[in-house]
Every structure is written in C-alpha cells, then in structure tokens.
Amino acid sequence: MKKPNISANQLLWLLALFFGLPFIALLVQLFTPEAAIWQHLSDTVLPTYLKQSILLLAAVTLGTLFIGVSTAWLIATYQFPGHRYFQWLLILPMAMPSYIVAYAYTWWLDVSGPVQSMLRELNGWSFGDYYFPNIRSFGGAVLVLSLVLYPYVYLLARASFQQQSRRLFEAHQLSGGKHNTFFYRIALPLARPAIFGGVALVMMETLADYGTVQYFGVNTLTTGILKTWFGLSSLGGAAQIASILLVMVILIMTTEKIFRGQSQFDVAGNTANKPLYQPLSTSKKWLASLWCLMIVTSGFILPVLLLALMSFKSTINDWWDEFFLVTVDTLWVAALAAAVTLCIALFLMFIKRHNDKHSIDRLIKTLSLGYAIPGLVIAVGVTIAFGWLDQSYNWVKLKYSDAPATLLFSGGFMALITAYVIRFLAVAMQPIDAAYQGIKTNLDEASILTGHKNSKTFYLIHLPLIKSSLWTAMLLVFVDLLKELPATLVLRPFNFNTLAVKAYELASDERLADAAIPALSIVAAGLIPVLLLNQRINKTHDNNPKT
Amino acid sequence: MTTTLKLNSLNFAFGQQSVLNNISLSVKTGQIGCLLGPSGCGKSTLLRLIAGFEQPQSGEIHIVNQMVAGTNLTIPPQNREVGMLFQDLALFPHLTVSQNIAFGLHQLNKTEQKHRVNELLSLCRLEGFQARYPHQLSGGQSQRVALARAMAPKPKLILLDEPFSSVETGLQNDLVHEVKSMLQADQSTALWVTHSLEEAFGIADQMGVMLDGKLLQWSLPNELYDKPAHPDVIHFLKNANLVSGTINSLGEIETHLGNFKLNNDANFKVNEQAQVGLNKRIFHISKNKKPNASVTKVVYQGGQYILSLKLFEGDIIECYVPNSIHIGSNVCVDVDEVTELTGFPIS
C-alpha cells in the first residue's frame, strides 16, 4: 500500500531541517573563517593535529586489519582448542570503551603501577635505572584502539569467510591450487568488500575517539577541537577543526561506498552447507588457540580483571552517595534520550513504509548518517546552531516583553539530547527497519481492506509485530549512550555528570582506582548488546540460515 | 440478477510496460467468476486494481453500481468494501483465529461481532480452533481462517488470489469444493484467480482465459471448450487440436481430415486459409485405411496413451488411444462428425 501522507512528510522535512542545522552551522563557519584564529591555527598546531590524526588512522587500520582478519580466518577455516568459545569471546572487546581500556593499562603499566613496582622490587632497581615503554604515548593509543576496535573487522570478515562456498575451495584444489594460496588468491579478494566495510567503521571510530588520545597525550583533531574551544575560547576555531574532521569522515564514507559498489561479489553460494573445517596439525592448532587467547585477553579479560583489581583499591566508600546519584542521572538521561531516539526512528520507518518517493527514501538514509560523525563534531555544530536559535528566540522575545534573555535551546538538556539523537538514530533505525521488512505488505493490505486507516493499521498490526525489535533498538541506543563521552562532556548542563564523564574526570584527576568503578559499570552494561548481536549473527550466518 | 462487479476497458502499465490491456468483464451477484491464466499474465495485478491498491491508466471499475475507479475518480481501498484472500493468506501472526476473523468487524458491537465470528467458525468448520494462533494451524485450516476473515464483514465482493498455490496438490480438489460451498452458503460474490484448469472448472460460474494482459474470452465455463473465441484459448486449455485448411464456397473449411461447417463462415472469403479447433476426443485411429500421419511421440497416461501425430500435410495433432503404437509407424487418423465449429484466421 503506497499512499503519500502529506502532513507526515512535512513533519519529516522539518525534522531533517532541525537535525541538519548543526551541519549547516559547521558549513557556515567553514566558509566564513575568523581570519586571525584560522591563521594562528594553521601556523601552529593544526599541522600537528592533522598529522597525528592521519598517522593514528593508518596505524589503527593496520592493527585492526591484522588482528581482525587473522582471527576471522582462523575461526572460519580451522578447528582448534577453544574454537567454540573464541568465536564469541573475540567479539567482547567491543563492549569496552577504549578510554576505559586505556585507564586500566595505564594503572597497570605506569611507573607506580603493579608491573613496574614488582620489577623494581625483584631487581632492586629504582626509578630511572631501567627502560620501560610508556603506555601513555602514541604507540599506546594505537595498541589500545586496535585491541578494542578490531571486532568490527573480525565480525564482517568472519561472516564473509563463512559464507564462501566450500565448492570454491574444492574448485581451487581441483585446478591444482595449493592449500596455502587459497587465502590470498580467493578467500581474501572475495572478502575484501566486507573487510573494507569493517575498516571504514574502525576509521570512523578512531577519528571520533577523544577519551583515549586525550588521556595518552596524543594531539589529534578531536583533542584540538577541545583545546581550541576551551583553551583558546574560540568556538569558531573549534568549528574549523571540526569541519576538517567532518570532511575526512565524508571522504572515508565515499571511498567505502565506491569500493563496495564496484566489487559486490555473490559469495553466498549455498549458505545451507555446513562449514567444513580444514585440517591443521596439532602444534599449529595450539598456536591458533594461543593467538586468539592473546587477543581476547589483552582486549577484554585483562582490562576487566585490572578494573576489578583497581576497584578494590578505590576510595568508593567515601563517595558512594555521589556514585549513586551519578548512576541515577546517567540512567534517566540515557533512558530519555533512547526513548526520543526510538520515537523518531519509528516515525521515520513508518514514513518509509508508506512512501514510494525516492526523495523521502534518500532523506531518511541521510538522517541515518549521523552514526559516522564524531560526537565532538556534532557537539560543536549543535552548540553553534542552538546559539543561533537562542539569539533569534531572544530577539523575538525582546519585541514582546522586557524579560531577560534565556538560553531556551542551549541551556538545558535539549542540546545534549539532540546530539545524542543525531549520533545514534541509525542504531535505533536498523533493528526497526529489519523488523518492518519482515512484515509483508499483504498484512497492511488485508487490514486496509477491512476499512482501517494507516494509523490504525500501525497500532493494530505493526506495533505488536515489531515490539521486540523496539526493545532491542532501545537497549542498543541506551548502552551506546552510557558509553558516550566527548559530546556529553561538552554539552551536559552545568553540574550534571554521567558515569562516562565521571570516569573521565576521575582519571584526569589521577584517581584511576576510583575511575574503575563507573568504568566497570559501563562495561557490564555494554556486554548486553554485544552478546545480543553475537546471538543474531550466529543465527543468520552459522547454524540456522533460515531465521 | 444484479451485477456486482463490472470492468470497462481497463488499461494498466508499470512505467512503459503494459500489464493489462483493455479488460472488460462482469460478475453477477452471488456468482463466482474465475480468471484462468499462466503466472505473469497480469491476473493478480487485476485483483490489486479492483481492490484499489493500484490505479488504472484508463477504464472504469464498478462495484454494485458504484464507480470506484475511473477517469479522475478513485475510491481508496478502505471504502470499497472488498475482501481479499491473499496468495500467502496474510493471516495476522499475533492474533488468534477469532481475532483474525473479527479484525474487520469494527463496525459491529461486541455481541454482534461474537455472533458473526461464531457463524463463520461453524461455516468454515473451525470450531474449537478459535483460540489458536496461525502458526498452530495446518495448511487447510489457515486457508479456511483466511477465507472466514475475508468473508466476515460481508464485503460486496471477495477477491481470491491463487488461494491454493501453497496447499499440497492432493488436497486442492477437496478444498476447492469446500471453499465454493462456503462462499455460496454466505451468498458471497467472488472473483477467483488461478492457473489451475481443474480448480477453475471446479468453481466457476463465469470464466475467462487471460494471456499477456489480455482477456481472450469471458463466458460460461463450457463455452470455453465448446466455443473458444481465440486459438490461444485452445492452446491454453489443451483440449483440442488446431487443424488448418481452406474455406470453400459452401462456408466449410476443407482440411485433410475432412470438411467442417463453420458457424462464423461469413467472416471468411472463399479460398482463404483458416484453422479450426477440433476436440482431441473426436480423433481415433482407423485400421486398414491409407495412412495419413506418422507417430512422433507416445506417452502413457493412466489407462490410455496420448499419441502425438504429424499429419503428412503438416499439422501436428494429439489424440487418445487405448493401445500403444510404435513411434515412427504410419497410421490413419479419422475424426467423428462435429457441428458448431468456429474458424480462426491463420495468424
């Protein structure tokens, strides 16, 4: 049933305008630079920011590629001790916000941490007697980001490897190909689009990272934005840097799209066939296990253990009340923002269902691009845009009354929640879209024939059938919100803290042991959607292609 | 008898692709009309036009003396009072059998709803299943629920889109008659779409053959056999052989199997080439006569053989014989006396 709903479409355009305003603001700033600031930035720090960002991007890309593809290939092709468990254990680092992993490793490896203390005690050294690599460095940032972000590559590469038909391997063997050339000559080229999709996600996350690079003292574009904004008190300058970051993200997205468009291989083959694992010698089996164990340990198990150890040393007993308050604040803001995001996502998907206009489809797709944009960029855009809105609001208000100017838009939670919605709308849209596609249009038609309107059909048919997906969407957004750091940091109202911000503040105050407690809470919550996600991927790719 | 559905010269296209071409037909109140045609001929699209999910480019649709689609006029599907039995049934998976049936009864109050649901449960032999969900039903039961849901609001017209395509072959015959009797018991008017000959002849009061978006004939079922209006109807029904010949001055067609009187001889000139459809049942093999055909194929089919023959003069025909004949042997094929034949120009 295709029937354009005019008033709903108008509402959609209005929403799009509202959420597009921050980006319009950034564009305006980009083309009307404050000359002095721009000159200063480009003469001094900007080249460093840009260089560090690009170097970090390259290093993390290589790191995640190596870890992600190697583990995915091992899991998809061979069976080795612990194979069943590694399959999902390897995803768990996704639950860890990178800045939290950074805190854990710093606590462990720093001069005053357990490792160096033990070394000194065992060998009778004192500080300065020995060389120990500093974790709070560029290298440390690469290591931590690679360990946390590789699951994006792993997941997509694994799915692609597992979908490749075994017939391909047999054909390769029959044409005289050697066992060890199959990976380079066939499997890897076929999985390339999927792997590149994962890499694109890694790149966006790397560019968006603020917590890790800031803590490790790496001067990237994101740290540059905050330094310019609050250090130099120049929002205009921050907007300039944010625009550069935005351009980089758009470049990555476009490249990914072009790349994927050119090479869409149909590797699915017969998805019903069971994976036939290739043989592996006993010693190599153990090597495979060891490699996977190493990755899981350093990306997840060790940081969690360290956080647990740290929390024993914390002074939490002195600030239980505050922790409790922060937790409550975090939960209600995350719940509110998740609910708003969900409602908007649902509205968009409802429009999409009843629309056959290309422009509307495009618009909805565009609205879902926010997931790729760094939180800090969104925050800068929202701040400028809401500044404009407040100015115009107060200008109008002044004409009618003498009341003092108020910050209607940028004062309270509105800016924060708007930024959250822009960033996480796609996360909510995806499961709802999938659920909607599962409802045949016949059902709508059957309902409409009995005289029900679209809205009534939504209430009677769609809503009950997509209910569980709505919960999934809500949960996914909720957990992402708990983890979000940079946008919350700059947009939160005065004196308002979330667990992520609290952990960040405590870590910045060198109270790492105390930071472990909010950090652990975030990790615990973050595990839920990762496990959900794994369950769904297992269902569709591994055992049960029909569901 | 009043007319429930009337289509006047409907045309419909998806973009440049013409899907329906000048379709006209009518279904009388209380009767079942049936559209027979291969998949992709446009018959499902026609149902979607009647339901209101698609708009015709030109032509008119009337339902019980009310125009629902025509030039500058479209009544939305919600207001057409048409019920539909979808190919995949489209039962609401989250509602029970009685909730599914009651779905369209929002105009009635609770007691009336309950009464109508019970009426349909018993009519469609679904008593005892009212609390079940669609996934707990067998194929035939789901079918009856879908039918009950379509009939429940007493729509002016029920559209059935290949309703048995998902049912096992063995069960289809029983279901066809069951559904027909249910529709008749509720005095429903229906337009039924199918690609199965057996199904169509089992239910239809009025019937038509559709090919490539054109309705070739719309008539009583027996007339499709007896008075086919187009050679493609014969091709589709596979009940007759097309034999070519020449028109003589008596208005007969002269073929190599004999001369036949045509009921439409006025349409032809003398000495014009033409063809005529001859029912396969009137062909038989005569022994000890001069051969006029050779056997090209023999297929055994339950108690009899279907023989493919190539007439020495060119036409290929099929006939039924009790005993097998070697492929390649030459035989003499004869036809019984027939009347009321329609001739077709050679295309």
Side-chain angles (χ1 to χ4, degrees):
Chain A
M1 174 63 200
K2 310 263 175 170
K3 188 169 173 283
N5 193 331
I6 291 161
S7 61
N9 281 358
Q10 282 165 343
L11 188 57
L12 174 67
W13 282 103
L14 216 63
L15 261 179
L17 183 69
F18 182 70
F19 289 122
L21 209 55
F23 301 101
I24 297 170
L26 280 180
L27 272 181
V28 170
Q29 286 291 336
L30 185 66
F31 290 111
T32 53
E34 294 168 40
I37 290 280
W38 183 243
Q39 192 62 42
H40 173 74
L41 284 176
S42 57
D43 284 352
T44 54
V45 284
L46 195 59
T48 318
Y49 295 156
L50 200 58
K51 195 177 120 201
Q52 295 279 60
S53 272
I54 292 174
L55 278 179
L56 187 72
L57 204 58
V60 174
T61 301
L62 287 179
T64 50
L65 261 180
F66 181 66
I67 303 177
V69 175
S70 63
T71 47
W73 177 247
L74 289 175
I75 293 287
T77 324
Y78 306 105
Q79 263 187 315
F80 45 84
H83 179 274
R84 255 180 62 200
Y85 302 100
F86 284 128
Q87 189 150 327
W88 59 270
L89 280 173
L90 280 165
I91 307 172
L92 292 186
M94 255 183 146
M96 307 288 291
S98 56
Y99 55 88
I100 286 175
V101 176
Y103 301 158
Y105 276 121
T106 305
W107 177 79
W108 194 47
L109 296 173
D110 222 10
V111 181
S112 56
V115 170
Q116 291 200 43
S117 302
M118 198 176 68
L119 279 177
R120 286 194 297 265
E121 212 162 289
L122 282 179
N123 298 310
W125 295 331
S126 56
F127 177 70
D129 285 354
Y130 58 95
Y131 170 75
F132 197 88
N134 184 7
I135 184 77
R136 291 179 76 168
S137 62
F138 181 83
V142 173
L143 183 78
V144 165
L145 286 172
S146 301
L147 280 175
V148 168
L149 297 179
Y150 82 85
Y152 289 112
V153 178
Y154 164 76
L155 274 175
L156 289 164
R158 186 186 84 184
S160 172
F161 287 143
Q162 283 174 338
Q163 279 176 8
Q164 290 174 9
S165 161
R166 286 295 118 181
R167 308 282 164 273
L168 282 178
F169 181 68
E170 286 159 11
H172 173 79
Q173 277 181 314
L174 285 177
S175 55
K178 291 219 174 62
H179 185 129
N180 50 11
T181 56
F182 178 70
F183 175 73
Y184 293 106
R185 291 188 51 194
I186 293 164
L188 195 59
L190 282 177
R192 210 174 48 196
I195 293 174
F196 201 81
V199 166
L201 289 171
V202 168
M203 288 171 128
M204 289 164 195
E205 292 284 341
T206 308
L207 281 179
D209 176 74
Y210 171 73
T212 314
V213 286
Q214 190 273 341
Y215 192 65
F216 281 176
V218 184
N219 288 313
T220 62
L221 291 167
T222 44
T223 51
I225 290 176
L226 249 81
K227 277 184 187 166
T228 314
W229 191 351
F230 297 107
L232 297 176
S233 301
S234 164
L235 182 55
Q240 310 275 326
I241 305 178
S243 319
I244 297 177
L245 204 50
L246 188 61
V247 169
M248 286 176 76
V249 168
I250 293 171
L251 273 180
I252 294 172
M253 278 161 65
T254 324
T255 320
E256 200 260 349
K257 206 176 166 194
I258 293 170
F259 197 90
R260 214 181 14 178
Q262 278 174 348
S263 46
Q264 277 204 332
F265 306 120
D266 181 19
V267 289
N270 181 6
T271 44
N273 64 5
K274 278 191 184 150
L276 279 171
Y277 295 107
Q278 289 171 31
L280 204 62
S281 71
T282 316
S283 56
K284 280 184 179 165
K285 275 185 185 174
W286 283 104
L287 273 178
S289 298
L290 191 66
W291 175 239
C292 293
L293 183 67
M294 230 175 84
I295 298 300
V296 173
T297 307
S298 28
F300 182 77
I301 300 173
L302 184 59
V304 170
L305 281 178
L306 290 175
L307 287 172
L309 280 177
M310 286 155 78
S311 61
F312 286 124
K313 308 215 166 194
S314 76
T315 57
I316 181 70
N317 284 326
D318 300 339
W319 53 284
W320 260 120
D321 292 347
E322 195 194 344
F323 175 69
F324 180 74
L325 281 177
V326 170
T327 308
V328 171
D329 275 354
T330 309
L331 292 179
W332 80 253
V333 157
L336 177 67
V340 173
T341 313
L342 192 71
C343 289
I344 294 173
L346 188 56
F347 171 71
L348 293 180
M349 289 301 109
F350 177 75
I351 301 242
K352 189 181 165 192
R353 176 126 179 135
H354 292 288
N355 197 287
D356 49 1
K357 268 198 225 143
H358 206 59
S359 58
I360 298 286
D361 243 27
R362 275 265 171 87
L363 186 64
I364 291 174
K365 235 178 227 152
T366 312
L367 280 174
S368 72
L369 291 181
Y371 77 95
I373 296 165
L376 265 183
V377 175
I378 297 176
V380 173
V382 167
T383 306
I384 299 173
F386 278 26
W388 291 351
L389 290 179
D390 273 332
Q391 277 171 17
S392 5
Y393 169 72
N394 285 318
W395 182 77
V396 173
K397 202 169 121 184
L398 206 62
K399 297 209 152 185
Y400 296 100
S401 77
D402 296 332
T406 46
L407 295 178
L408 179 71
F409 289 95
S410 27
F413 284 94
M414 203 154 142
L416 184 62
I417 287 176
T418 306
Y420 281 161
V421 173
I422 294 176
R423 179 113 165 95
F424 297 116
L425 192 57
V427 178
M429 269 158 74
Q430 203 270 334
I432 304 175
D433 194 24
Y436 251 133
Q437 276 168 21
I439 307 173
K440 293 196 185 132
T441 43
N442 273 355
L443 294 191
D444 297 28
E445 290 171 356
S447 164
I448 280 160
L449 279 183
T450 62
H452 288 304
K453 289 200 191 92
N454 283 349
S455 50
K456 190 93 191 203
T457 301
F458 170 78
Y459 179 70
L460 289 174
I461 307 295
H462 297 172
L463 205 55
L465 289 176
I466 62 173
K467 207 161 52 189
S468 69
S469 298
L470 289 181
W471 283 114
T472 310
M474 177 95 176
L475 180 71
L476 290 175
V477 176
F478 182 78
V479 172
D480 266 342
L481 288 169
L482 292 187
K483 294 200 279 186
E484 211 289 332
L485 176 62
T488 318
L489 198 59
V490 297
L491 290 177
R492 73 205 151 115
F494 185 67
N495 247 345
F496 175 84
N497 275 335
T498 65
L499 286 170
V501 171
K502 193 70 203 167
Y504 167 84
E505 283 183 349
L506 289 167
S508 304
D509 294 348
E510 305 288 335
R511 285 172 66 190
L512 275 180
D514 282 338
I517 294 195
L520 265 180
S521 325
I522 297 171
V523 171
L527 276 177
I528 305 167
V530 173
L531 294 177
L532 262 181
L533 179 76
N534 182 59
Q535 205 180 19
R536 199 179 307 162
I537 289 169
N538 270 340
K539 259 190 201 159
T540 44
H541 290 303
D542 293 355
N543 323 314
N544 216 335
K546 276 185 186 145
T547 40
Chain B
M1 214 182 251
T2 51
T3 301
T4 292
L5 174 70
K6 194 164 162 51
L7 307 182
N8 285 343
S9 320
L10 275 189
N11 284 295
F12 179 76
F14 283 120
Q16 294 295 312
Q17 174 120 21
S18 166
V19 179
L20 296 174
N21 199 330
N22 199 23
I23 306 273
S24 300
L25 61 82
S26 62
V27 180
K28 294 200 176 73
T29 306
Q31 292 207 326
I32 299 176
C34 183
L35 275 172
L36 182 62
S39 49
C41 72
K43 52 195 195 307
S44 295
T45 308
L46 183 62
L47 291 194
R48 294 179 60 79
L49 253 76
I50 297 169
F53 298 130
E54 310 283 354
Q55 305 316 321
Q57 260 86 37
S58 65
E60 290 169 358
I61 302 172
H62 298 261
I63 295 174
V64 191
N65 299 328
Q66 185 198 9
M67 203 202 303
V68 296
T71 330
N72 305 325
L73 176 112
T74 318
I75 291 183
Q78 287 94 326
N79 304 338
R80 291 196 181 185
E81 291 182 58
V82 165
M84 188 152 174
L85 189 55
F86 291 88
Q87 195 164 357
D88 60 359
L89 306 183
L91 291 177
F92 301 127
H94 61 299
L95 301 180
T96 62
V97 167
S98 27
Q99 285 168 334
N100 260 289
I101 297 175
F103 190 83
L105 300 177
H106 43 97
Q107 319 283 18
L108 307 182
N109 68 34
K110 283 271 171 249
T111 345
E112 290 168 333
Q113 278 190 19
K114 210 171 162 203
H115 181 248
R116 179 68 178 149
V117 169
N118 285 335
E119 198 174 58
L120 283 157
L121 283 171
S122 89
L123 176 68
C124 297
R125 298 194 291 104
L126 287 163
E127 291 126 321
F129 294 99
Q130 54 267 48
R132 292 216 188 169
Y133 285 91
H135 67 269
Q136 299 168 312
L137 300 173
S138 72
Q141 287 162 352
S142 312
Q143 201 87 48
R144 297 201 295 268
V145 176
L147 181 68
R149 186 183 68 184
M151 294 197 303
K154 298 209 180 200
K156 293 172 181 165
L157 174 71
I158 295 181
L159 305 169
L160 300 98
D161 186 6
E162 304 244 7
F164 297 127
S165 58
S166 55
V167 181
E168 294 155 57
T169 343
L171 292 171
Q172 283 176 350
N173 253 336
D174 295 339
L175 279 171
V176 167
H177 295 287
E178 205 172 72
V179 169
K180 183 177 181 174
S181 60
M182 287 169 196
L183 286 171
Q184 283 173 337
D186 215 42
Q187 288 151 5
S188 305
T189 311
L191 183 63
W192 186 311
V193 147
T194 178
H195 63 268
S196 150
L197 286 174
E198 280 187 21
E199 201 176 301
F201 283 101
I203 43 129
D205 296 311
Q206 285 264 303
M207 183 165 168
V209 172
M210 228 176 132
L211 284 174
D212 288 333
K214 287 186 195 111
L215 183 58
L216 300 177
Q217 185 169 2
W218 182 253
S219 60
L220 298 174
N222 62 324
E223 286 178 343
L224 279 180
Y225 271 142
D226 297 340
K227 293 178 192 159
H230 194 281
D232 284 340
V233 173
I234 295 172
H235 279 306
F236 187 76
L237 296 178
K238 293 193 177 70
N239 65 320
N241 295 309
L242 278 169
V243 177
S244 50
T246 317
I247 306 291
N248 65 18
S249 52
L250 301 171
E252 292 173 339
I253 179 167
E254 287 183 10
T255 75
H256 298 287
L257 297 170
N259 298 356
F260 304 98
K261 178 86 185 114
L262 296 182
N263 58 13
N264 62 341
D265 56 332
N267 296 355
F268 297 96
K269 292 197 278 281
V270 174
N271 289 332
E272 192 182 335
Q273 291 288 307
Q275 54 184 348
V276 67
L278 299 172
N279 195 319
K280 288 176 185 174
R281 297 276 166 205
I282 66 168
F283 288 76
H284 51 84
I285 303 294
S286 303
K287 284 182 182 147
N288 310 324
K289 269 194 177 173
K290 190 173 163 242
N292 60 356
S294 65
V295 181
T296 58
K297 197 168 88 182
V298 183
V299 177
Y300 180 68
Q301 194 200 46
Q304 60 186 357
Y305 291 85
I306 303 176
L307 226 53
S308 291
L309 301 164
K310 183 162 169 48
L311 297 181
F312 293 160
E313 278 74 27
D315 287 319
I316 292 171
I317 59 167
E318 284 187 345
C319 65
Y320 302 101
V321 291
N323 301 309
S324 180
I325 297 177
H326 284 296
I327 292 175
S329 45
N330 292 339
V331 294
C332 174
V333 57
D334 262 341
V335 282
D336 300 336
E337 281 286 316
V338 280
T339 54
E340 285 296 307
L341 289 177
T342 310
F344 308 111
I346 291 191
S347 44

